[in-house]
Amino acid sequence: MPLIARASIDQVQAAADMVEIVGQYTELRKAGANYSGRCPFHEERTPSFSVNPAEKLYYCFGCGAGGNLFGFVQAKENLDFAGAVEYLADRYGIELEYEESSARGDAERHRRERLRALLEQATVYYERVLHDAGAAAPAREYLKQRGLGDDVCRQFRLGFSLAGWDKLREAARAKKFSDQDLLDAGLVVPGKSGRPYDRFRGRIMFPLADDRGRTLGFGARTMGDEKPKYLNSPETPLYHKSEAVFGLHAAKAAAGREDRVYVVEGYTDVLALVQAGVHNVVASMGTALTEQQLKRLARVTRNLYLCFDADAAGLGAMSRALTLGRKMGLSLHVVRVPDGLDPADYVLSGAGGEGFRALAADAQTLLQFHVRLALATHDLDKPDGRARAFAQLKGVLSEAATPIERDEELRHVADRLQLSAESVRYLLAGSGRSARAGDAAGEGRSQAPQGGGAAAAVGGAHELEVRFLAGCLAQPQKGRAVLAGVDESFFATAETRAALRVVKARLEREGAGNTLQTAAKAADDDDDGETLAEVVVRAGRERFTATVVDELFLRLQEAHVSRLIARLKVTAKTDESGKQGAELIRLQAVRRTVRGAIRTIPVDEEPDEG
Ligand SMILES: [Zn+2]
């Protein structure tokens, strides 16, 4: 991949109007140094989303989405970093320069452009054949029989490949594409005689597009009994099977808006649903979802509704992907289509989009689904059947995403097995680490942040650290003074530590009279983007006085000392030298002093700004 030159990225960063870009998705109003509005990443009635126009950063206090200009475009337009830069360059009329102006980089880029042009030509050619050629009449009839209208077929640019051996090849060569181009694009197969022939013959063609709708390859389906039923493009410089998601380009706007995407198996399922008014639907190209596919989907929404033929075997085939999805923080649901129908048949049989949405409303979480599957596949009337069901459930329940979800399912299991919830809980007590980790996280969330517990510290620490840094930015003089006494050990996570580095660097530069440049600097550094944005937006949103910053500084120290104490309490037990015990006593004294200082802080009067 050619790299976009740093200077070009800076140029785009300087030219883009953050308020205008965000304004495409939500209405913004000026609020102090920021603009605020309803969040374009989650449904809400009252605005909790802020944009800092000068630094081109955004943050949502409702859902925690945040980042810089490029991150925003990446998220809303579902693009990678380079794609977002190109999108903005396009919009603001900036000619990009690329890093790799070496002969090799140029040749590579030229090659990809040529393949793209060829694939576009092929798409147009197949489309024309489908709609106009007499030989494609059976294909048109087939689509009509399947209930798919002309509009939706045109929207997805369906086509048809004629039955001959070199129809496409001839058409492409007439447009001055070479056999090598055709081979590289996966459109022909090398023949034994040395003369390549068309890969796709007599098939309905489904273009597989990237996030911008550009054809990368094809899926091709027979109408008869020929094998294989589906034939796809081979791996090419542009097309990678493991990344392909049919229909994502068309689905992403609706999927973002509804914050969910339906994943079906077949191309025609996608078309039938879109035709029925369900636009947030994609096809997975097989039941085993890959990590790359999940990542593409996760950029649009974290809520995946799987509409596979979800029997035990079907789910077994994707269990790895599902585990992966869970690790990525995706929320997975199973939509069960009745009577073994596929989604296309279901909506076309009269249920329509409304019927499908009703099914989706009854979707089970993956955990519910697994629990019911385990209960359904064992004979619960017999003791050994119950024992086997129980053994299986142990594993299933330990994978619950939250303790609440697990408890709900525990009650369901207790009901079915006629056990008290307590005895089920007791029997499941040893069921794996993740269940317990879930407990700890749950406690952390429900406890008040100012509680002294170690778990509470994690939840409250982030907010405290971010507010402290925001205060330092808002009160630069005070900020510089207190930051001189702070190092990274005061901060609980890598994100806030990264934000600390940026804030420190910025205040030093400002102190030296330089202008701000950090936003651009953070542009390609994804890790601290969100937290930094949160800090900057907070700095422009809350009223920070020097006294508030002092108080936050004290609270930061208290949290820091508390963490040290908690850690020491664990290790001091096995320490025989007694040194750690002494250190513990010293730290407890420090904490008392800090707490005393916090108590003596005067109640802050509202700053008078007229
Ligand atoms: Zn939000």
Short mmCIF file of all heavy atoms in Angstrom, two decimals, residues 38-44 48-49 59-65, ligand 1:
data_model
loop_
_atom_site.label_atom_id
_atom_site.label_comp_id
_atom_site.label_asym_id
_atom_site.label_seq_id
_atom_site.Cartn_x
_atom_site.Cartn_y
_atom_site.Cartn_z
N ARG A 38 -26.68 15.96 19.28
CA ARG A 38 -26.99 14.57 19.58
C ARG A 38 -25.97 13.66 18.91
O ARG A 38 -25.52 13.92 17.79
CB ARG A 38 -28.40 14.23 19.11
CG ARG A 38 -29.45 15.04 19.87
CD ARG A 38 -30.70 14.25 20.12
NE ARG A 38 -31.25 13.72 18.87
CZ ARG A 38 -32.20 14.33 18.19
NH1 ARG A 38 -32.71 15.46 18.62
NH2 ARG A 38 -32.65 13.82 17.07
N CYS A 39 -25.60 12.62 19.61
CA CYS A 39 -24.50 11.77 19.16
C CYS A 39 -24.84 11.01 17.88
O CYS A 39 -25.88 10.38 17.79
CB CYS A 39 -24.17 10.77 20.27
SG CYS A 39 -22.87 9.62 19.79
N PRO A 40 -23.97 11.09 16.87
CA PRO A 40 -24.24 10.32 15.66
C PRO A 40 -23.84 8.85 15.79
O PRO A 40 -23.96 8.09 14.84
CB PRO A 40 -23.37 11.03 14.61
CG PRO A 40 -22.28 11.68 15.38
CD PRO A 40 -22.80 11.96 16.77
N PHE A 41 -23.38 8.45 16.97
CA PHE A 41 -22.98 7.05 17.14
C PHE A 41 -23.96 6.27 18.01
O PHE A 41 -23.89 5.06 18.07
CB PHE A 41 -21.58 6.95 17.76
CG PHE A 41 -20.52 7.47 16.83
CD1 PHE A 41 -20.01 8.75 17.00
CD2 PHE A 41 -20.05 6.70 15.79
CE1 PHE A 41 -19.04 9.24 16.14
CE2 PHE A 41 -19.08 7.18 14.93
CZ PHE A 41 -18.57 8.45 15.10
N HIS A 42 -24.82 6.94 18.73
CA HIS A 42 -25.83 6.20 19.48
C HIS A 42 -27.12 7.02 19.55
O HIS A 42 -27.11 8.23 19.36
CB HIS A 42 -25.31 5.79 20.87
CG HIS A 42 -25.43 6.86 21.92
ND1 HIS A 42 -24.54 7.91 22.05
CD2 HIS A 42 -26.34 7.03 22.90
CE1 HIS A 42 -24.90 8.68 23.06
NE2 HIS A 42 -25.99 8.16 23.61
N GLU A 43 -28.22 6.32 19.77
CA GLU A 43 -29.53 6.97 19.84
C GLU A 43 -29.63 7.76 21.14
O GLU A 43 -29.37 7.21 22.21
CB GLU A 43 -30.62 5.91 19.85
CG GLU A 43 -30.90 5.30 18.49
CD GLU A 43 -31.57 6.26 17.53
OE1 GLU A 43 -32.35 7.11 18.00
OE2 GLU A 43 -31.30 6.17 16.32
N GLU A 44 -30.01 9.01 21.08
CA GLU A 44 -30.22 9.75 22.32
C GLU A 44 -31.12 10.94 22.07
O GLU A 44 -31.25 11.41 20.96
CB GLU A 44 -28.89 10.20 22.92
CG GLU A 44 -28.11 11.15 22.02
CD GLU A 44 -26.87 11.70 22.72
OE1 GLU A 44 -26.59 11.27 23.85
OE2 GLU A 44 -26.22 12.58 22.14
N SER A 48 -25.24 14.74 24.14
CA SER A 48 -24.06 14.52 24.99
C SER A 48 -22.80 14.40 24.14
O SER A 48 -21.78 13.92 24.58
CB SER A 48 -24.26 13.28 25.86
OG SER A 48 -24.79 12.22 25.11
N PHE A 49 -22.93 14.88 22.90
CA PHE A 49 -21.82 14.76 21.95
C PHE A 49 -21.20 16.13 21.73
O PHE A 49 -21.92 17.11 21.54
CB PHE A 49 -22.39 14.22 20.64
CG PHE A 49 -21.38 14.02 19.56
CD1 PHE A 49 -20.61 12.87 19.53
CD2 PHE A 49 -21.21 14.97 18.57
CE1 PHE A 49 -19.69 12.66 18.52
CE2 PHE A 49 -20.28 14.78 17.56
CZ PHE A 49 -19.53 13.62 17.54
N TYR A 59 -16.03 14.00 21.10
CA TYR A 59 -16.20 13.03 22.18
C TYR A 59 -17.66 12.98 22.59
O TYR A 59 -18.35 13.99 22.62
CB TYR A 59 -15.34 13.41 23.40
CG TYR A 59 -15.36 12.31 24.43
CD1 TYR A 59 -14.60 11.16 24.23
CD2 TYR A 59 -16.17 12.39 25.55
CE1 TYR A 59 -14.64 10.11 25.14
CE2 TYR A 59 -16.21 11.35 26.47
CZ TYR A 59 -15.45 10.22 26.25
OH TYR A 59 -15.49 9.18 27.15
N CYS A 60 -18.14 11.77 22.88
CA CYS A 60 -19.52 11.60 23.36
C CYS A 60 -19.49 11.13 24.81
O CYS A 60 -18.91 10.09 25.11
CB CYS A 60 -20.26 10.59 22.49
SG CYS A 60 -21.88 10.18 23.19
N PHE A 61 -20.16 11.90 25.68
CA PHE A 61 -20.20 11.52 27.09
C PHE A 61 -21.24 10.43 27.34
O PHE A 61 -21.30 9.86 28.42
CB PHE A 61 -20.48 12.75 27.97
CG PHE A 61 -19.32 13.70 27.98
CD1 PHE A 61 -19.27 14.76 27.08
CD2 PHE A 61 -18.27 13.51 28.86
CE1 PHE A 61 -18.18 15.63 27.07
CE2 PHE A 61 -17.19 14.38 28.85
CZ PHE A 61 -17.14 15.44 27.95
N GLY A 62 -22.04 10.16 26.32
CA GLY A 62 -23.03 9.09 26.47
C GLY A 62 -22.44 7.72 26.18
O GLY A 62 -22.54 6.82 27.00
N CYS A 63 -21.79 7.58 25.03
CA CYS A 63 -21.32 6.25 24.64
C CYS A 63 -19.80 6.15 24.63
O CYS A 63 -19.26 5.08 24.41
CB CYS A 63 -21.88 5.86 23.28
SG CYS A 63 -21.26 6.83 21.90
N GLY A 64 -19.11 7.26 24.86
CA GLY A 64 -17.66 7.18 24.94
C GLY A 64 -16.95 7.19 23.60
O GLY A 64 -15.73 7.06 23.54
N ALA A 65 -17.69 7.36 22.51
CA ALA A 65 -17.03 7.44 21.21
C ALA A 65 -16.23 8.74 21.16
O ALA A 65 -16.72 9.78 21.62
CB ALA A 65 -18.06 7.43 20.08
ZN ZN B 1 -22.65 8.62 21.74
#
